[in-house]
Amino acid sequence: MTDKTALTPATHTAPPARFSHGVKKGSILQVAGQVGFLPHEEGRAPTPAGPTLREQTLQTLANVKAVLEEGGAGWDDVMMIRVYLTDVDHFAEMNEVYDAYFAEQGLTGPPAARTTVYVGLPAGLLVEIDALAVLG
Amino acid sequence: MTDKTALTPATHTAPPARFSHGVKKGSILQVAGQVGFLPHEEGRAPTPAGPTLREQTLQTLANVKAVLEEGGAGWDDVMMIRVYLTDVDHFAEMNEVYDAYFAEQGLTGPPAARTTVYVGLPAGLLVEIDALAVLG
Amino acid sequence: MTDKTALTPATHTAPPARFSHGVKKGSILQVAGQVGFLPHEEGRAPTPAGPTLREQTLQTLANVKAVLEEGGAGWDDVMMIRVYLTDVDHFAEMNEVYDAYFAEQGLTGPPAARTTVYVGLPAGLLVEIDALAVLG
């Protein structure tokens, strides 16, 4: 029996429902859908890093990374990244930000697989990202 | 070589295509996208539990659970829950129903991670949910 | 420490960003979102197999299969297939094509689980599919 543990970075606001920002069990680590909220400050409602796709994408990736690190993992362990955008016209810019971000992360192995689709998100949010990692 | 087995609860209607309601292989169990159809009755077409988000969410969660149990698993084994809604305005109510449901499930560990996005679904369906579990 | 390896079929165009068409680590193989692009030809931009749902679905499935095979896997190893369509009215036809395709694949075990949702995709693309496989 391997225990499932919750991954809750100190930077994160409490989830709006009964779910975990991330969970780890055995070699599998799953990061919940993250959005571009700034690190939590006591008494402040969840606040996006800014109105732009660039700001939100970078913050969202930082939030995913925080969950990975809480579980002792990093981007090199990630197998799949799911990117949810609200507008097909955001694809090129998201890719630019995404590529520049990962160029700076110093991955030692190949990048994760990815699926990008265009969905509805809560007002003000332009991007949501989740990730599946395999450790060890 | 570990066998992949199909998980087909007796309560479920036959899938509308060549897919399984759930599959299990080794320690991985994947539940296919479930919707709020009532338990199958011979000669009756698939019928949603009702027109409301509450009815459909509860039935959908029951359908996911039935697949988990068919594979000898339960909610405590679930790592990731993907919730597909059709309307951003349904988020708060879905969370209420979701939280109340899981409060009653007696989980012994942390809740699963979750991603919620807003997509199109077949007419009359307000919610679809799938789940990834890791056993053992 | 198990290495994560990239799966890059010779038939595939380079991904438009820093992601892999597929990755494999230990027993887990993840195929990135595939669309209906024809096998890559030097000097030709990514080109869909045709304008119809049937053509694109078949090509997309072939592209997923190419990634699986690059990782020494096949459809029998696939646990979950995510199908993204742009139009609810395409469901019945996609299922027809899907069922006929898998009937010809000679699976020895049960079919994978599946979730189908309706999202936005880049102009001209009617279907996107990704897959999670467990090997061994």
Side-chain angles (χ1 to χ4, degrees):
Chain A
M1 183 67 188
T2 313
D3 272 351
K4 178 171 73 166
T5 55
L7 308 173
T8 312
T11 48
H12 277 48
T13 50
R18 203 176 279 264
F19 67 86
S20 299
H21 282 302
V23 288
K24 185 173 140 180
K25 187 176 179 181
S27 63
I28 304 288
L29 189 162
Q30 176 72 55
V31 180
Q34 302 292 308
V35 295
F37 289 148
L38 289 167
H40 178 58
E41 286 184 20
E42 197 58 39
R44 187 182 67 185
T47 306
T52 69
L53 182 66
R54 164 175 296 274
E55 291 164 305
Q56 290 192 17
T57 301
L58 290 172
Q59 185 64 52
T60 301
L61 289 166
N63 291 344
V64 172
K65 187 181 183 181
V67 179
L68 291 170
E69 291 183 340
E70 192 72 22
W75 287 117
D76 264 316
D77 300 302
V78 174
M79 300 291 285
M80 183 62 166
I81 295 177
R82 295 187 180 278
V83 179
Y84 300 96
L85 298 176
T86 59
D87 188 336
V88 171
D89 289 342
H90 289 172
F91 187 57
E93 185 184 352
M94 184 276 291
N95 278 335
E96 263 182 57
V97 177
Y98 189 95
D99 284 4
Y101 174 84
F102 280 106
E104 289 173 0
Q105 294 297 310
L107 269 64
T108 61
R114 197 183 76 180
T115 290
T116 305
V117 292
Y118 304 88
V119 301
L121 292 177
L125 298 177
L126 303 176
V127 58
E128 178 161 351
I129 297 177
D130 61 49
L132 173 71
V134 174
L135 284 77
Chain B
M1 186 67 189
T2 314
D3 272 350
K4 178 171 71 166
T5 55
L7 308 174
T8 312
T11 48
H12 277 48
T13 50
R18 202 176 279 264
F19 67 85
S20 298
H21 282 301
V23 288
K24 184 173 142 179
K25 187 177 180 180
S27 63
I28 305 288
L29 189 162
Q30 175 72 54
V31 181
Q34 302 292 309
V35 295
F37 290 147
L38 289 167
H40 178 58
E41 285 185 20
E42 198 58 38
R44 185 182 68 186
T47 305
T52 69
L53 182 65
R54 165 175 296 273
E55 291 164 305
Q56 290 193 16
T57 301
L58 289 173
Q59 186 63 53
T60 301
L61 289 166
N63 291 345
V64 172
K65 187 181 184 182
V67 179
L68 292 169
E69 291 183 340
E70 191 72 23
W75 287 117
D76 264 315
D77 300 302
V78 175
M79 301 290 285
M80 182 62 166
I81 294 177
R82 296 186 180 279
V83 178
Y84 300 96
L85 297 177
T86 60
D87 189 334
V88 171
D89 289 343
H90 291 171
F91 186 57
E93 185 184 351
M94 183 275 293
N95 279 335
E96 261 182 59
V97 176
Y98 188 95
D99 284 3
Y101 175 84
F102 280 106
E104 288 172 0
Q105 294 297 310
L107 269 65
T108 61
R114 197 184 75 179
T115 291
T116 305
V117 291
Y118 304 88
V119 301
L121 292 177
L125 298 177
L126 302 176
V127 58
E128 179 161 351
I129 298 178
D130 61 48
L132 174 70
V134 174
L135 283 77
Chain C
M1 185 67 187
T2 313
D3 273 351
K4 178 171 70 165
T5 56
L7 308 174
T8 311
T11 48
H12 276 49
T13 50
R18 202 176 278 266
F19 67 85
S20 299
H21 282 303
V23 288
K24 185 173 142 180
K25 186 176 180 180
S27 63
I28 304 289
L29 189 163
Q30 175 72 54
V31 181
Q34 302 292 307
V35 294
F37 290 148
L38 289 167
H40 178 57
E41 286 184 20
E42 197 59 39
R44 186 182 67 185
T47 306
T52 69
L53 182 66
R54 166 175 294 273
E55 291 164 305
Q56 291 193 16
T57 301
L58 289 172
Q59 185 64 52
T60 299
L61 289 166
N63 291 344
V64 172
K65 188 181 183 182
V67 179
L68 292 169
E69 291 183 339
E70 192 72 22
W75 286 117
D76 264 314
D77 300 302
V78 175
M79 301 290 285
M80 182 62 165
I81 294 177
R82 295 187 181 278
V83 178
Y84 300 96
L85 298 177
T86 60
D87 189 334
V88 170
D89 289 343
H90 290 171
F91 186 57
E93 186 184 350
M94 184 276 291
N95 278 336
E96 262 182 57
V97 176
Y98 188 95
D99 284 3
Y101 174 85
F102 281 106
E104 288 173 359
Q105 294 298 309
L107 268 66
T108 61
R114 197 183 77 179
T115 290
T116 305
V117 291
Y118 305 87
V119 301
L121 292 177
L125 298 177
L126 302 176
V127 58
E128 179 162 350
I129 297 177
D130 60 48
L132 173 70
V134 174
L135 284 76

